[in-house]
Amino acid sequence: MRILITGGSGFVGQALCQRLHEDGHRVLVTSRHPNKVQERLPEGTEVRRWASDFVDLPPEAIVNLAGESIASGRWSESRKKELLDSRLETTRDVVALCEQLHSIRGQAPRVLVSASAMGYYGDQGERDVNEDTPPHDEFAHRLCRDWEAAAMQAAQFGTRVAILRLGLVLEADGGMLAKMLPPFKLGLGGRIGDGRQYMPWVHRFDLIEMILTLVNRGDLEGPFNGSAPHPVTNAAFTRALAKQLGKPALLPMPATALKVGLGEMSALLLGGAKMLPKRFQEAGFAFRYSTLEEALEDIL
Ligand SMILES: NC(=O)c1ccc[n+]([C@@H]2O[C@H](COP(=O)([O-])OP(=O)(O)OC[C@H]3O[C@@H](n4cnc5c(N)ncnc54)[C@H](OP(=O)(O)O)[C@@H]3O)[C@@H](O)[C@H]2O)c1
């Protein structure tokens, strides 16, 4: 199958492209720097600037991952605009490709799997959160809500749209774990705030299986929580990581210091949602890594 990945050069995208290539698919990627990212992608990957540049090479499936990194830079008003605009621009361009293929060939791509995040729910305290839980209104929620709504526009051209609300994606070569490892390896890690906030997580291997499931299963559409069935609090995550590394993790990061240092972005670290993958479980999805201990043991 021909499959287009926006943000294919990223932490999730690169692993997905590799897997698709190994499975014999033709991989297409969008990037702001087509020449630069080519060497990070499997041989034969076609890289162009925009999704709408692929009208002559129409994909059957699209996985939409592109967007400015949420966890870097203070959330000033202009940074918040970049976070939103980078996602809306790339997602609207994906929808434009669907529209063009629908009008020129009478057939849009079969499926769009579009990323979103646990931030959709906002801070939910300790309650269980599934795909039907009403969100808490805050910046992360509004960002994800608008991003998801932009992706859903592809449905009017006959494309099946599945939204994947990602938890923290775990692998050693990127994402949050790569940032946490250096201090934790030095024994300088610790819980954040009171440590009671939930951190839904998913091993990157399982996340890629989730994406493939949504691509391949014609009966799955709408929002799906993309995280393992056993989310943990920040304190439990801290303990598990320290144990796996054989190091102490006794240096808590006080909430007030984070609020001063990071401003509104501190909500990412101090809030959370006990997100559960209810719809994946109903769909019979089999996790390889259900518990954090299993995932960290594999990764580390
Ligand atoms: N990793 C996680 O734990 C996690 C958790 C929740 C949600 N997510 C979301 O899932 C998606 C994939 O995550 P990831 O960890 O793979 O992200 P990533 O490594 O930051 O990669 C995202 C890709 O988006 C592209 N991009 C960045 N800024 C852009 C802009 N202004 N305009 C257009 N494209 C831009 C980049 O591609 P080029 O530089 O080649 O253009 C980059 O490779 C992201 O949207 C992320 O927010 C990730």
Side-chain angles (χ1 to χ4, degrees):
M1 169 189 339
R2 217 153 36 205
I3 177 157
L4 170 65
I5 322 295
T6 78
S9 61
F11 166 58
V12 174
Q14 279 185 56
L16 176 63
C17 290
Q18 189 56 41
R19 171 66 188 275
L20 291 168
H21 177 71
E22 284 164 14
D23 288 353
H25 298 292
R26 176 82 205 274
V27 182
L28 317 175
V29 161
T30 67
S31 169
R32 292 164 300 166
H33 316 284
N35 294 331
K36 222 168 83 183
V37 304
Q38 192 85 52
E39 66 192 23
R40 284 188 249 156
L41 295 166
E43 209 184 324
T45 303
E46 179 74 22
V47 190
R48 297 182 184 174
R49 175 65 185 89
W50 296 102
S52 49
D53 295 335
F54 283 101
V55 175
D56 64 330
L57 205 58
E60 286 173 70
I62 305 177
V63 180
N64 182 36
L65 301 171
E68 286 281 340
S69 171
I70 305 232
S72 65
R74 215 180 146 94
W75 283 356
S76 60
E77 287 310 310
S78 65
R79 181 68 187 155
K80 285 200 237 176
K81 191 167 166 347
E82 278 170 8
L83 295 175
L84 183 60
D85 289 352
S86 63
R87 288 175 169 75
L88 294 187
E89 201 178 35
T90 46
T91 305
R92 285 177 185 148
D93 184 57
V94 162
V95 174
L97 174 66
C98 295
E99 182 175 14
Q100 286 177 58
L101 292 175
H102 178 71
S103 81
I104 298 168
R105 303 168 54 97
Q107 199 177 13
R110 208 163 38 75
V111 56
L112 165 62
V113 177
S114 199
S116 179
M118 61 209 157
Y120 174 85
Y121 299 103
D123 185 18
Q124 294 281 345
E126 290 168 21
R127 76 179 68 94
D128 287 0
V129 170
N130 64 42
E131 290 82 354
D132 299 321
T133 302
H136 176 251
D137 187 27
E138 57 189 79
F139 172 69
H141 164 64
R142 292 190 291 275
L143 173 74
C144 294
R145 177 198 64 192
D146 294 357
W147 190 16
E148 294 185 7
M152 288 308 300
Q153 293 298 316
Q156 64 190 295
F157 306 111
T159 299
R160 174 170 60 85
V161 183
I163 303 286
L164 188 53
R165 295 178 180 153
L166 277 68
L168 289 168
V169 184
L170 300 185
E171 239 321 332
D173 60 346
M176 202 202 52
L177 193 57
K179 289 186 180 158
M180 291 175 81
L181 280 175
F184 271 76
K185 281 182 176 168
L186 293 171
L188 299 173
R191 68 178 153 75
I192 297 174
D194 65 12
R196 289 165 63 185
Q197 67 279 29
Y198 271 87
M199 295 172 60
W201 59 273
V202 60
H203 191 302
R204 190 172 63 188
F205 175 90
D206 279 331
L207 177 70
I208 284 168
E209 291 295 318
M210 287 171 154
I211 293 173
L212 299 179
T213 300
L214 294 177
V215 165
N216 291 325
R217 289 255 315 250
D219 58 326
L220 302 181
E221 60 186 338
F224 287 81
N225 290 344
S227 54
H230 300 289
V232 296
T233 61
N234 171 264
F237 193 99
T238 303
R239 278 195 301 274
L241 182 56
K243 187 168 172 213
Q244 189 63 43
L245 294 170
K247 299 282 180 187
L250 303 170
L251 292 173
M253 177 78 78
T256 38
L258 275 174
K259 283 181 190 156
V260 171
L262 298 177
E264 196 176 349
M265 199 177 105
S266 61
L268 268 189
L269 300 171
L270 296 170
K274 190 179 174 190
M275 185 167 87
L276 300 167
K278 180 167 170 254
R279 293 197 65 207
F280 269 116
Q281 292 194 300
E282 285 168 357
F285 183 84
F287 286 87
R288 183 180 285 191
Y289 304 100
S290 306
T291 68
L292 182 62
E293 286 71 18
E294 288 166 338
L296 289 178
E297 191 180 341
D298 174 71
I299 291 169
L300 299 172

